[in-house]
Amino acid sequence: MPLPVGVGVGLDPSWKYAISRAALERFVFGKDIIFTYGPLGYLIHGSVLDQNFYVILLFRLIIELITFRISIATITNQKTKFHKILLSASIFFSYLFGLSIDYKIIFALLMILSWDNIINKKNIRLWALGIGSISGFCLLTKFNIGVCTLGIVILIILAEIFQDFQSKSDLSTSLFALSDAVIAALTSCFLFLNPNLVENVKQVFLCVFIATFSGILAWFIKIKIIDKINNYNIGKPSSNHENLSAKIYFNNGFYIAYISAVLITTLYLSPLLINYLKGSLEISSGYSSAMSIVGSYWELGFAVVGLLIVLLVLLQIMREEFLGLGLALAFTLWMSFKHGYVRQDGHVYMFIQSFPIISSIAIIKLKNKFKILRNITLVYLGLIISIYSLASSPFNNPNPNVESNLMGILNPINLINKVSVLFNPEKLRLNINNNSSLELSKVRLPEKVLQVLNNKTIDIIPWEISIVESNKLNWQPRPIFQSYSAYTKFLDNANLSSISNKSPEYIIYNLRAIDNRHQFFDEPATFSYIACNYKLSSELNEFINTPALSNLMVLQKRDKNICSSSIKTKQVSLGWNQSIKLTDTSSLVRASIKFEYSLLGKIYKTLFRAPPVNINIDFKDGSHVYFRIIPENSENGIIISHLPLNDNQAFSFFKGKWDQRVQSFNFSTNNPLLYKQNIKTNLDSYQILDSSISLKDKSFDISELKEITFSQDATEEYVGALDSQNSNFIKGDEIYLHGWVVLKSNPQQPLWILITHGAANTPVAITQTGWDRYDVGNFYKNPIYNQSGWSLSLVLDEFPGDSHLMKTWIYDPVNKTAKQLKGNHNLEINQSP
C-alpha cells in the first residue's frame, strides 16, 4: 500500500497539495478548479494536511484490502495450476512496477468481470447500477479512472445488447441496464461534486418529487378515468389488468421521472456537473498534443508489437464467448497505452504495469486450440517483464519505483514498519507533518515579503503552489492553477475570465516552463492580461530567493490596463518553415496562430498523440532560439514581440523595459502530414498607454556589421567581465552568454556588446547593456552599476563540431571599432550526446 505523503516542493508535489487544499477550502471543481483530478482526487494522489490524514489512510487501506481480496479470489478460481501461477506472477510484477491506486481499482473490476457467469440477465441491471455508481465516484477522483470504469461497464452491456440482437432475444433488460449504468454514474458524480451536498440532495429530490407527482397524477387519470371509460364502453372491466397496468406504468413512470429530474437539475438548476465534465474533457484532449514527448522509436515499436499480439488474443476470445470481457480488456489496454506513450518518458510504465494483468486474463480465457498464439503472448510477456524489471531499461526510460519496490519487498524491516503503521497511525501522521515542515521551510519567503503580502489576495505563476502553505498566503487561484496545464483555448479563457473578473492583488512570478516552452506561451491570453495589468511591486523591486527557489518576482496589480483596446491586425498564411518578419517596433505584438489537424492528424491524435510543434525565433542581435508551442491554445494570441530569455530579462520586462527583440519566426514539426499545410496567423499590435514603458528598438541587424576595426589591447576605460566562460554543448543546443560592463567615466551610458568567434572575429550576435545586475551594484556599493548587465542566446546549429573561442567586445557603432572585454568563452560543440 502506498503510504500517504506530506506537502513537498516541485511541480508534481505542488499540484498534489493544491487538490488537497482545494477540497478542504470547498472549491467547486469544474468552476473554481479545473484539473485531471476532482474533489475526491486527494484520496489517491493528494498531499496530507492536518484535516485529511485519516480519510486518506482509511480510503487507501480499504482499496488495498478489496483489491487484495479480489486478486486472491480470482487466482483461486482458476482451474489449472498454470493459470494460477500466471495470474499470480502477473499481479506480482504489476505491483513491482509500481501499480498506482487508480489502476488497482480498474484491474479489480476487470478481475471480477473475468469470473464465470458473474453477469447474467437476472442481475445485469443490479451490476449496472453498482458499477455505474462506482464509476461516478471514480470520476470525482481521477477523470480517466471514471472514464475507464464507466467505459468498461458500457462495453460489457453493449456486448449483451449485440448478442441479444443476434439471438433475437428481448433487448429491453440490456437496454435498461445501459441506461441504469449511465444514470447511476451521473447521479453519484453529481451528488458528491458540489461541496454543498445538502443543496444537491434538495435539488434532486425536489425534481424527483415534482416529476413523480406528475407521473402518479398521469397514471391516476389513465387508470381511474380513461381505462374505466374504455372498459365500460367495451363491457369488459378487469381489476387484474388495472393492477398490472398500474405497476408497469408506475415503474416506468418513476424511471422516466428520475431521468428527467437528473437532467433538469444538471442542465438548468445546477450545471456544475456539465462544467466539471467539460473541463476534464478539455484537459484530457489537450494533453495528447501539449504534453507529448517523442521517445525511442524502438521502445514504441516494442510496445506496439505487444499491443497487436494481445489484441489478436482478445479477438479470439471475443469470437468465442467473451465478447464483453474482450472489449473491456482491449479498451483498458488502449487507455494504458495512450497514458503511457503520449508522454514517452517514465510514463511508459503505466503501460508496462497494465500489460501483465491484461495479457494474463486474456490467456486464461483463450481456448487450448490457440496454443501458438498463447505461447507467443507468453514469450512476449516474459520479455517485457525481464526488460523492464531492470533498474534502467535499454530504452533509456528508468523507473526508480522498480528498484525501490524490489528492495522494499525483500527487506523485512520495511514490511514490519509498514504493517506497524496500521497499529500506530498517529506516529505516521506526526512523521509526515515533520517531513512537510522541512520541505516547506525551503520555500519560506523573507519576512519583508510577508509583511507586504499580509492578507492580500495572491496567485502563483507558473506552478509552485507549495509557497501558499509554507507562508499561509491568501490564495486566489486561477481555475487551471498551474500554467503548463492550460492546454486549450477553453482552459486559457477560463483563466483569463477568472483573473480579469477577480484579479489577485499580487502575483508571485517565476520565469519557468517545462518541455522547452516559453512561459509566455503556456496560457497566452491570460499572460497577455498580466503583462498589461501587472508590474513589478514598488515595495519589492528585487529578486526574492528561498533555499529551493531563486529569482522570484512579486508583481503588483496596476491601477489601469496599459494596453490599448485598438488593434492593428496583419493577416498572413504561413507554410511550415516559412518565416514572417516583424516590422512593428513601436507596440506590443501578439500572434494568434491557428493550427489545424488534417484528417490523419485528428485520427492519430485521438488514438495516440500529436507530435510537438516548435516556433523558431530569430532575434535582430543575431541569436536564435526555438520553443515548443501549444497548437490547441496558440490561437488566443501569444506575445511574440518581446520574449525575455532569462530571469534578468524577465525582471527588466516587468520593470517596463520592453526592448523589441524578435526579427522573424517560423514553425516546424517532425510530422507536418498530421497538420494542414497553411497556418493562419494574425499579428495584432497594441499601443502602450504608459509612457514609462520603453518600447524602443535598440537592436542592430548582425548581418549589417562589417568593416569593424578590432582592438585587443587592454583598456582601462571599462570595467566588466564575461560571466559565462567555458562550456560543453551538443550541436543544436541553446546557450546563454551573459556578463556586465560599465564605462568608468560615465557608468550610466548603455554600451553595445559584440560576440565574435574564430580567428577572423566573425560577428555572431550583438546586444546592449541595461539588464539588471544588482549583485554588481551591491559589490561596488554603487547603484549606478545596477543596470550594467547584458545577456543573449545562441542556438548551436550553424557551427561545425569543434572547439571555438568566443570573444566579447565593446562596440562603438559610430566609429565601427571594437575593444575586447575581459574574458573569453571557450565553447566545445559536440555532434551528439
Side-chain angles (χ1 to χ4, degrees), residues 540-545 551-553 647-648 651 772 774:
L540 301 169
N541 58 353
E542 60 185 15
F543 283 128
I544 310 298
N545 295 302
N551 296 340
L552 296 173
M553 290 165 262
D647 294 333
N648 285 326
F651 191 86
D772 294 299
Y774 288 97

Side-chain angles (χ1 to χ4, degrees), residues 573-601:
S573 183
L574 300 177
W576 293 102
N577 300 305
Q578 179 183 348
S579 294
I580 180 174
K581 190 171 184 178
L582 291 182
T583 57
D584 191 341
T585 61
S586 61
S587 59
L588 174 73
V589 180
R590 292 173 60 187
S592 301
I593 309 149
K594 186 175 183 179
F595 296 94
E596 295 182 281
Y597 292 100
S598 63
L599 178 60
L600 175 63

Side-chain angles (χ1 to χ4, degrees), residues 390-456:
L390 302 174
S392 180
S393 81
F395 303 115
N396 200 31
N397 271 331
N399 183 10
N401 287 335
V402 174
E403 186 175 7
S404 61
N405 287 357
L406 183 59
M407 294 302 295
I409 290 171
L410 298 178
N411 191 337
I413 296 177
N414 289 346
L415 178 61
I416 293 171
N417 290 337
K418 236 179 185 183
V419 173
S420 67
V421 167
L422 303 178
F423 300 98
N424 192 1
E426 186 61 20
K427 181 180 178 181
L428 174 65
R429 188 182 72 84
L430 292 176
N431 288 337
I432 291 174
N433 287 343
N434 289 336
N435 291 334
S436 294
S437 297
L438 289 174
E439 281 289 298
L440 292 173
S441 66
K442 299 176 183 178
V443 290
R444 177 72 178 174
L445 297 173
E447 193 60 36
K448 63 178 181 179
V449 178
L450 296 178
Q451 290 177 359
V452 173
L453 302 183
N454 183 35
N455 293 325
K456 301 294 194 299

Side-chain angles (χ1 to χ4, degrees), residues 399-629:
N399 183 10
N401 287 335
V402 174
E403 186 175 7
S404 61
N405 287 357
L406 183 59
M407 294 302 295
I409 290 171
L410 298 178
N411 191 337
I413 296 177
N414 289 346
L415 178 61
I416 293 171
N417 290 337
K418 236 179 185 183
V419 173
S420 67
V421 167
L422 303 178
F423 300 98
N424 192 1
E426 186 61 20
K427 181 180 178 181
L428 174 65
R429 188 182 72 84
L430 292 176
N431 288 337
I432 291 174
N433 287 343
N434 289 336
N435 291 334
S436 294
S437 297
L438 289 174
E439 281 289 298
L440 292 173
S441 66
K442 299 176 183 178
V443 290
R444 177 72 178 174
L445 297 173
E447 193 60 36
K448 63 178 181 179
V449 178
L450 296 178
Q451 290 177 359
V452 173
L453 302 183
N454 183 35
N455 293 325
K456 301 294 194 299
T457 53
I458 308 295
D459 200 359
I460 311 292
I461 295 177
W463 61 64
E464 195 54 64
I465 315 300
S466 61
I467 296 175
V468 172
E469 182 68 14
S470 176
N471 301 279
K472 305 303 178 186
L473 301 177
N474 182 11
W475 187 37
Q476 184 176 291
R478 310 174 314 287
I480 298 82
F481 52 86
Q482 289 184 316
S483 299
Y484 76 93
S485 296
Y487 306 136
T488 67
K489 287 174 57 180
F490 172 86
L491 299 174
D492 183 25
N493 287 333
N495 272 5
L496 174 62
S497 175
S498 173
I499 200 169
S500 58
N501 292 326
K502 193 173 58 174
S503 300
E505 296 169 89
Y506 290 93
I507 294 174
I508 298 178
Y509 180 82
N510 208 198
L511 186 71
R512 296 289 182 271
I514 63 172
D515 297 346
N516 195 43
R517 304 186 196 174
H518 193 286
Q519 206 280 317
F520 284 17
F521 299 167
D522 277 346
E523 40 183 343
T526 305
F527 185 81
S528 297
Y529 177 86
I530 292 170
C532 295
N533 290 273
Y534 284 81
K535 63 180 180 179
L536 194 68
S537 169
S538 56
E539 298 172 278
L540 301 169
N541 58 353
E542 60 185 15
F543 283 128
I544 310 298
N545 295 302
T546 72
L549 298 172
S550 61
N551 296 340
L552 296 173
M553 290 165 262
V554 177
L555 308 183
Q556 181 181 7
K557 185 77 165 64
R558 291 180 179 272
D559 295 332
K560 61 180 180 180
N561 187 335
I562 64 170
C563 300
S564 67
S565 56
S566 58
I567 301 173
K568 178 183 177 183
T569 301
K570 177 182 179 182
Q571 297 180 345
V572 294
S573 183
L574 300 177
W576 293 102
N577 300 305
Q578 179 183 348
S579 294
I580 180 174
K581 190 171 184 178
L582 291 182
T583 57
D584 191 341
T585 61
S586 61
S587 59
L588 174 73
V589 180
R590 292 173 60 187
S592 301
I593 309 149
K594 186 175 183 179
F595 296 94
E596 295 182 281
Y597 292 100
S598 63
L599 178 60
L600 175 63
K602 292 178 181 178
I603 297 172
Y604 192 79
K605 177 181 178 293
T606 302
L607 296 179
F608 187 28
R609 68 187 178 202
V613 174
N614 291 328
I615 180 170
N616 308 298
I617 297 172
D618 295 323
F619 292 104
K620 276 195 172 182
D621 61 13
S623 59
H624 314 272
V625 293
Y626 68 92
F627 295 105
R628 180 169 182 172
I629 192 170

